[in-house]
Amino acid sequence: MKPTALPVLCMLLALTGCQAPPASDVDAGFANPLVRQRADPHVTLHPDGWYYFTATVPEYDRIELRRARSLDQLGKAEAEVVWRKHAGGEMGAHIWAPELHRIDGKWYLYFSAGRADKVWEIRLYVLENSAENPFEGEWIERGQLKTGWESFALDATTFAHRGQRYLSWTQVAPDGSKGTNIYLAQMDGPLAIRQPAVLLTRPEHAWEKRGHWVNEAPAVLLRNGRVLMTYSASATDANYALGLLWAKEDADLLDPAAWTKSPQPVLRSSDKTGQYGPGHNSFTTSPDGKTDILVYHARNYRDIVGEPLRDPNRHTRAQAIGWRADGMPDFGEPVADRKVRDQ
């Protein structure tokens, strides 16, 4: 099925009351994996027609950018290192989960980093670039993005809705209780949040507590009258899975009661397709804007020797999102590897 036919199909299905086919049946035919050994992918299609891509590199020591005219070309696009970790002190270890955002005429990279001497003392940081092209100009360190308390924190994302910009991120609770939770706050410009931050979700279900108690990596999509937020749960092996929260578009997003949480994962490992540990996604669209696309990482084998974080083979992948008649997304199964894109 051609991706451009999907919106028409969904409209017809809504009128008839039928359910849209799962996402695996409307896959846009991407040459998966798109980019090998790149985890936590963040892809955005900008008005200039380029897909901008950044992700965690397996060495955890730098931030790269690349761009291409199509998602399939990202793997062959030249990767430019725009920043490297510090030799000592803060921002000296575990450079994770960069996201590239264009805000008020400037580029920002939000990322997570530990200290060189305390590698698990991970916090949120921001780089800024005022150039029109993020591959030009100077990336300036704007320091730590303070959340209101000091504890293990990572995976910041930002989005604008109804005239207000928000930050969502992952952090250990102020009381130090077990696991990582996801929080939301309004922003005062690109470099600071407005208190108080609110807790949106913590690990509650068994599938969120396998290996580690984890809710992390929020990503936001505004569709069909809802604010949709995916997140990832459990350890970064085959137990890793995608969860979903949603709120009505006119709700007070800072009211935790406005959000509904799916009791089951919406994307998980699949023996059928040979994909394991899908998660830490971002959202983009086809060039014409008509097809929503999920970009995420997964491995193509289940068994890992040693610590999963030391295994480099989390590959960036993409697939079209299916939509049900009620306007909710259907992510289906992570699609199988493909060597050649269908013509």
Side-chain angles (χ1 to χ4, degrees), residues 110 114 204 323:
Y110 297 87
E204 303 168 80
W323 292 95

Side-chain angles (χ1 to χ4, degrees), residues 47 96 105 122 128 155 185 236 245 249 251 256 272 283:
W96 286 348
I122 295 174
E128 180 185 272
D155 297 349
T236 57
L245 304 170
E249 64 178 0
K272 177 182 176 182
F283 295 103

Side-chain angles (χ1 to χ4, degrees), residues 162-327:
R162 298 170 75 89
Q164 175 62 55
R165 180 161 293 278
Y166 295 87
L167 186 84
S168 186
W169 73 96
T170 306
Q171 191 163 1
V172 170
D175 62 6
S177 53
K178 185 176 181 179
T180 57
N181 310 324
I182 292 176
Y183 296 87
L184 181 70
Q186 289 184 342
M187 297 193 79
D188 278 329
L191 303 175
I193 66 168
R194 187 181 307 167
Q195 295 293 342
V198 297
L199 171 67
L200 291 189
T201 176
R202 58 164 57 95
E204 303 168 80
H205 305 297
W207 60 271
E208 299 175 298
K209 301 178 181 180
R210 293 174 178 163
H212 299 290
W213 291 34
V214 170
N215 279 184
E216 66 180 14
V220 173
L221 179 64
L222 309 174
R223 288 292 183 273
N224 301 330
R226 296 182 180 92
V227 180
L228 304 163
M229 179 183 288
T230 52
Y231 66 94
S232 300
S234 289
T236 57
D237 53 18
N239 291 308
Y240 209 50
L242 211 62
L244 181 66
L245 304 170
W246 64 91
K248 294 181 179 179
E249 64 178 0
D250 58 353
D252 176 4
L253 299 186
L254 296 178
D255 178 5
W259 293 85
T260 301
K261 179 177 178 177
S262 174
Q264 298 295 330
V266 294
L267 190 72
R268 66 176 83 191
S269 293
S270 171
D271 289 325
K272 177 182 176 182
T273 64
Q275 300 300 320
Y276 301 95
H280 201 128
N281 72 285
S282 57
F283 295 103
T284 189
T285 70
S286 56
D288 61 9
K290 295 180 179 180
T291 301
D292 291 302
I293 299 169
L294 180 77
V295 182
Y296 62 99
H297 73 238
R299 294 183 178 89
N300 58 7
Y301 51 87
R302 175 181 290 277
D303 298 326
I304 299 171
V305 177
E307 166 58 47
L309 284 174
R310 296 193 181 99
D311 181 289
N313 294 316
R314 293 180 292 175
H315 304 320
T316 294
R317 311 176 56 75
Q319 63 194 62
I321 299 171
W323 292 95
R324 301 193 320 226
D326 63 0

Side-chain angles (χ1 to χ4, degrees), residues 31 33-36 38 50-51 53 64-80 316 338-341 343:
L34 297 183
V35 188
R36 294 184 177 274
R38 292 298 182 269
W50 291 97
Y51 285 98
F53 173 89
E64 296 177 344
L65 294 181
R66 66 179 77 190
R67 67 180 182 178
R69 292 296 186 181
S70 74
L71 291 173
D72 275 349
Q73 295 171 352
L74 283 173
K76 296 180 180 180
E78 181 179 356
E80 181 171 325
T316 294
R338 302 182 68 168
K339 294 183 179 180
V340 179
R341 182 187 172 105
Q343 299 299 319

Side-chain angles (χ1 to χ4, degrees), residues 35-196:
V35 188
R36 294 184 177 274
Q37 295 192 337
R38 292 298 182 269
D40 314 328
H42 187 259
V43 178
T44 51
L45 175 62
H46 281 271
D48 61 9
W50 291 97
Y51 285 98
Y52 288 84
F53 173 89
T54 187
T56 301
V57 303
E59 298 81 8
Y60 301 155
D61 65 349
R62 64 192 185 276
I63 297 177
E64 296 177 344
L65 294 181
R66 66 179 77 190
R67 67 180 182 178
R69 292 296 186 181
S70 74
L71 291 173
D72 275 349
Q73 295 171 352
L74 283 173
K76 296 180 180 180
E78 181 179 356
E80 181 171 325
V81 177
V82 298
W83 184 86
R84 291 188 182 274
K85 71 177 183 179
H86 290 189
E90 67 175 3
M91 294 184 279
H94 284 157
I95 309 305
W96 286 348
E99 288 199 5
L100 178 69
H101 294 270
R102 182 78 168 167
I103 304 172
D104 298 334
K106 295 182 179 180
W107 294 97
Y108 293 89
L109 276 164
Y110 297 87
F111 67 102
S112 313
R115 295 182 57 88
D117 52 341
K118 298 179 180 178
V119 298
W120 294 107
E121 197 169 289
I122 295 174
R123 302 293 188 268
L124 307 178
Y125 296 92
V126 189
L127 306 176
E128 180 185 272
N129 189 338
S130 59
E132 186 71 22
N133 183 342
F135 292 86
E136 300 174 353
E138 179 184 3
W139 283 99
I140 299 170
E141 295 177 3
R142 291 306 189 192
Q144 184 181 345
L145 201 167
K146 300 284 188 176
T147 64
W149 69 98
E150 293 294 326
S151 65
F152 181 90
L154 68 165
D155 297 349
T157 193
T158 181
F159 66 99
H161 180 55
R162 298 170 75 89
Q164 175 62 55
R165 180 161 293 278
Y166 295 87
L167 186 84
S168 186
W169 73 96
T170 306
Q171 191 163 1
V172 170
D175 62 6
S177 53
K178 185 176 181 179
T180 57
N181 310 324
I182 292 176
Y183 296 87
L184 181 70
Q186 289 184 342
M187 297 193 79
D188 278 329
L191 303 175
I193 66 168
R194 187 181 307 167
Q195 295 293 342

